[in-house]
Amino acid sequence: MSWIRDKELSLIERLCANVLKAGPMPKHVAFIMDGNRRYAKKCHVERQEGHSQGFEKLAETLRWCLNLGICEVTVYAFSIENFKRSKEEVDGLMELARQKFTRLLEEKDKLQKHEVCIRVIGDLSLLPLDIQTLIAQAVLETKDYSKCFLNVCFAYTSRHEISNAVREVAWGVQEGLIEPGDVSENLLDQCLYTSHSPDPDLLIRTSGEVRLSDFLLWQTSHACLVFQSVLWPEYTFWNLCEAVLQYQHNYSAIQKSRELYNKEQSRLLNETDQTCVQKNMSHVEHGDKKKNTEVFQKLMLQYRTEREQRTQNFLRALERKRDGFLQSLCTN
């Protein structure tokens, strides 16, 4: 079945969508698509059929999101922890991924029509080589589309992502691209797999489980978290509307929390810059107070300019390294 559905909403669904869109709408929604195996057990079918039905529900949900004006969706498709499941189930999930990414590449016209940018987030090196190649082709084929975005977390956990970001920063320091004093929370954020995406506004987990299971721990610190009891293959448009309503109910508190966080980050970065500049000024002879202030302001401006230049050069180098990895998969 197709990744992109062209089916329109029913009349009552369109009416509900229009009412919802009168309020603040999430721009980015993340899903933990839980309950495929329980659905299979409930329906007395094989686990693999439960996972297949879960993919069909994803395609349907993407269509609902587009109709609601939600332009970015991130889904937890396969955790690194899932490799601990039985060989039969893991092999079945890899085969499903193989089929779906192959189908995705066959739907270039639909992807171009809707301008869907596909990003696959995770440690691709843990996957079979042929799946790595399919993923690289899909990502590179759609990287210039910018109307809507689908981020598929595959071979992913948040702790692994954060650890990788730390390694990337260490690489930047080792290569002389950045200095130890340049390292900040903001820089780490830009080294995550999700650096090209805004943080999710709304995270939805199905099946009744009330935990994040190592999914987007960094990115969802100021998101609305909604836990719903419905199994993922049984998810409906109305379940999505319910989650959006909960987001709208908490919108003001979420925005206030984000604003306070951004102010605090700006303050901390300013303090760090001041500390570095004051160390440099310790070698400067002390003159009158006015002159010292002028020197300090000049050095602050110079230091910030140099720091921003270093970090931008580092991030461009990191982007080239990641793009080079994807290109290499397509040329092997």
Side-chain angles (χ1 to χ4, degrees), residues 134-186:
L134 289 170
I135 287 172
Q137 290 173 345
V139 170
L140 293 173
E141 187 75 32
T142 64
K143 70 175 184 176
D144 294 326
Y145 298 151
S146 58
K147 186 176 180 181
C148 48
F149 303 87
L150 172 61
N151 308 311
V152 181
C153 293
F154 205 83
Y156 172 92
T157 65
S158 189
R159 285 175 294 179
H160 191 89
E161 177 186 29
I162 294 168
S163 299
N164 182 72
V166 172
R167 284 192 295 270
E168 300 289 24
V169 169
W171 170 78
V173 173
Q174 184 179 9
E175 293 293 314
L177 297 170
I178 52 175
E179 297 178 359
D182 298 332
V183 180
S184 65
E185 189 173 323
N186 182 59

Side-chain angles (χ1 to χ4, degrees), residues 1 34 49 121 134 151 157 173 223 267 288 290 313 332:
M1 294 293 286
D34 196 16
E49 178 61 21
I121 296 167
L134 289 170
N151 308 311
T157 65
V173 173
R267 186 188 66 80
D288 61 81
K290 182 179 179 182
N313 288 339
N332 286 341

Side-chain angles (χ1 to χ4, degrees), residues 277-288:
V277 170
Q278 285 167 354
K279 285 181 180 178
N280 293 334
M281 284 191 69
S282 64
H283 305 293
V284 178
E285 291 186 8
H286 294 284
D288 61 81

Side-chain angles (χ1 to χ4, degrees), residues 121-133:
I121 296 167
D123 189 346
L124 300 188
S125 66
L126 299 176
L127 300 171
L129 185 57
D130 64 322
I131 296 179
Q132 291 185 46
T133 301

Side-chain angles (χ1 to χ4, degrees), residues 8-45:
E8 295 297 328
L9 297 177
S10 67
L11 176 60
I12 187 67
E13 288 171 340
R14 288 200 303 273
L15 287 172
C16 180
N18 289 334
V19 171
L20 278 178
K21 287 191 282 188
M25 290 294 293
K27 298 291 190 297
H28 183 183
V29 177
F31 290 94
I32 300 178
M33 307 178 293
D34 196 16
N36 292 341
R37 294 194 294 176
R38 272 171 280 176
Y39 172 82
K41 185 176 181 180
K42 174 183 174 181
C43 297
H44 307 290
V45 296

